[in-house]
Amino acid sequence: MKKITYLLVLLLLVVQTSFAQDIYKRVTINRIDDSVVEILDSNGIDMTCGAMFIDDKLQIELSEAELQRLSNQGLSYTVLIDNLTEFYSNRATRDLPRARIELEQEKQMSQHNARYSVSEILNNVGQYDECDEIDWATPVNWNLNPNNSPNSFGGCLTYAQVLQELEDMRTYSLENGLNIISEALDASLVSGEVDIPANKQTTLEGREIWYVRISDDADNDDPSEPETLYQ
């Protein structure tokens, strides 16, 4: 599937919403040298993810608390976006109609999905940035939140809608003779290691966590087979 912008917008919206208790800003820091890097490092600023060097400036997204600590140590910065939560929320809402149109167009193009060899699939199971990555076809049953704003959540699915997706996956596999997806709504995900129904884990809001198994014999958990957990 193409890495189109609107999907990135939805992911960023989820990330930023989870940090809604603090205001995050996008800033640039000028004149990067060893002393500046030392200040950032001593304050626990992670520069391995999301930080970018643009025109000899460091562009990074930090909370108000982190920025205050940097200011106390004499480090100056320029604010590019004052409130990232509002920025991503507004952009997701604004771009959602276009995202829905683009998604439907891609799904129409995927009606005649390309067939991939086993070797092609195995060589593309991870995330790649090079040009030899398969341009995966967009699944025809890929859905965005159908609700209107402000309850569209930028296209992200609600908890109930996610559970419905799991149910639909099971139904589709049975109706089409694809015995590859097992609905496991009687078990919870416990640390990704062993299913222990007696110790069910929940979300922070107390909701149960479900999983599905994808296999050639999905209704049976063969302990001798290797497993991979996707969250």
Side-chain angles (χ1 to χ4, degrees):
M1 188 192 308
K2 294 181 180 179
K3 302 179 183 66
I4 50 183
T5 303
Y6 71 84
L7 292 179
L8 179 60
V9 170
L10 300 181
L11 292 174
L12 289 175
L13 176 62
V14 173
V15 173
Q16 292 301 327
T17 302
S18 65
F19 291 98
Q21 68 273 17
D22 200 353
I23 295 178
Y24 276 71
K25 303 176 185 291
R26 179 177 296 168
V27 303
T28 56
I29 300 175
N30 302 332
R31 298 187 297 276
I32 299 298
D33 55 26
D34 291 343
S35 63
V36 172
V37 173
E38 184 176 346
I39 292 175
L40 294 173
D41 183 65
S42 64
N43 282 275
I45 305 301
D46 182 10
M47 291 181 288
T48 62
C49 182
M52 296 184 294
F53 284 96
I54 302 176
D55 297 329
D56 298 325
K57 299 177 183 179
L58 175 64
Q59 178 178 298
I60 194 168
E61 299 177 355
L62 301 173
S63 68
E64 287 186 322
E66 291 170 326
L67 290 170
Q68 184 60 54
R69 293 202 303 271
L70 297 181
S71 295
N72 292 341
Q73 298 188 37
L75 196 62
S76 61
Y77 57 86
T78 301
V79 177
L80 300 179
I81 299 177
D82 190 60
N83 189 319
L84 283 169
T85 301
E86 291 183 358
F87 170 78
Y88 287 123
S89 178
N90 293 337
R91 190 174 71 173
T93 300
R94 182 193 68 217
D95 291 349
L96 183 55
R98 186 181 68 187
R100 286 174 171 153
I101 293 174
E102 291 180 358
L103 178 58
E104 291 306 314
Q105 290 174 341
E106 291 206 356
K107 288 163 68 172
Q108 288 295 323
M109 295 173 59
S110 300
Q111 292 294 332
H112 304 287
N113 291 343
R115 297 292 181 180
Y116 309 110
S117 67
V118 173
S119 61
E120 285 180 307
I121 295 175
L122 292 178
N123 289 331
N124 281 268
V125 294
Q127 179 65 50
Y128 292 85
D129 295 321
E130 302 299 330
C131 59
D132 58 350
E133 180 185 2
I134 290 179
D135 185 11
W136 298 104
T138 301
V140 295
N141 59 341
W142 178 276
N143 301 307
L144 296 177
N145 189 314
N147 296 332
N148 296 322
S149 297
N151 297 317
S152 63
F153 302 106
C156 295
L157 302 184
T158 65
Y159 176 80
Q161 289 169 340
V162 170
L163 294 185
Q164 185 61 52
E165 288 290 326
L166 299 184
E167 176 71 24
D168 291 345
M169 289 170 63
R170 172 69 168 179
T171 301
Y172 180 84
S173 66
L174 294 176
E175 290 179 350
N176 292 273
L178 303 175
N179 185 28
I180 61 170
I181 299 178
S182 173
E183 180 186 40
L185 299 184
D186 60 343
S188 57
L189 181 63
V190 181
S191 73
E193 298 175 357
V194 181
D195 170 39
I196 309 178
N199 294 333
K200 286 188 175 182
Q201 303 297 300
T202 64
T203 68
L204 291 175
E205 296 178 327
R207 294 168 172 162
E208 292 179 288
I209 301 175
W210 310 112
Y211 73 86
V212 294
R213 183 185 300 116
I214 300 177
S215 175
D216 58 347
D217 187 10
D219 289 322
N220 295 300
D221 185 10
D222 187 346
S224 66
E225 291 183 339
E227 298 179 345
T228 299
L229 171 65
Y230 291 92
Q231 296 185 0

